Amino acid sequence: MITTLVREEQTVKPDIQVQKEEVFQAKSFNLWYGEKHALKEIDFKIAENEITAIIGPSGCGKSTFIKSLNRMVELVPSVKMTGELLYRGKNILDHKFGVEELRTRVGMVFQKPNPFPKSIYENVVYGPRIHGIRDKKILNEIVERSLQGAALWDEVKDRLNENAFGLSGGQQQRLCIARCLAIEPDVILMDEPTSALDPISTLKVEELVQELKENFSIIIVTHNMQQAARISDKTAFFLNGELIEFNKTSAMFSNPHDKRTEDYITGRFG
Ligand SMILES: Nc1ncnc2c1ncn2[C@@H]1O[C@H](COP(=O)(O)OP(=O)(O)OP(=O)(O)O)[C@@H](O)[C@H]1O
Ligand SMILES: [Mg+2]
């Protein structure tokens, strides 16, 4: 009876169009490293099952912003934040918010592939093992599913027990993506995930990112304008800690509203 009621309530949403929910929303979000005001009054919404690109010149706060989204930025002791950062409607800056839970929902892939000095298999099962999964059959399934998801399975299925350092850079990066998928996150944060890769590996990771958005929400920092234009649905342009412009990628690249965005994407500065 109760479930019927809940279902009915859920179906009487006022929206007629199918609106995507937002995974994250920043509201007047500010961040300081000591005296350095690194992010200023950031306000925007990040929708689910989309690829959101974050662009802007070096030092503008891109990494700081995405590291705020899983609260990794707090590993820097001098950090102070104000405003709100909502993850699925809950303020993650609230001291009651569980950071461990957040980090299992919001995975991260870094600029340089950083596999552990362990076998390919052990890299993928690392997170699930921490979460207490011991059953070998389940772990095997997770390994296959995650490596499939990261478009790496066919290349490594016969060498799962070999050290991950024996993989190429592009394969290592896809292994790091597989490691991230293994914990079944909701959002994947990527900080320049292809900047250390050759063009072919870059294309593979780009294709992969586009496939992943079916099931995940992806926020990707990139210095590569073509990459942002090719793969993202929306783009946010940061400059000196401010969010200057946020729009559909096609609109931003064809008709930027702010002169500074135009100068940046046409290569006049940055
Ligand atoms: N741990 C830190 N302590 C103090 N200041 C920092 C720290 N990390 C970053 N900053 C400063 O905050 C600002 C934003 O840095 P951030 O790393 O977010 O930039 P970015 O846009 O990712 O740059 P890049 O494109 O070079 O990676 C910079 O001025 C930087 O010097
Ligand atoms: Mg950075």
Side-chain angles (χ1 to χ4, degrees), residues 33 36 38 56-65 76 78 191-192 223:
Y33 292 107
K36 164 88 193 166
S58 185
C60 70
K62 304 177 297 295
S63 297
T64 300
F65 181 71
V76 181
S78 64
D191 197 349
E192 301 185 52
H223 273 283

Side-chain angles (χ1 to χ4, degrees), residues 66-78:
I66 69 164
K67 282 189 288 185
S68 303
L69 298 178
N70 64 356
R71 284 184 46 182
M72 257 188 55
V73 76
E74 289 166 27
L75 300 175
V76 181
S78 64

Side-chain angles (χ1 to χ4, degrees), residues 207-219:
E207 278 167 16
L208 170 59
V209 170
Q210 281 170 303
E211 284 164 25
L212 292 176
K213 81 165 182 177
E214 296 279 316
N215 297 310
F216 306 92
S217 311
I218 295 167
I219 303 165

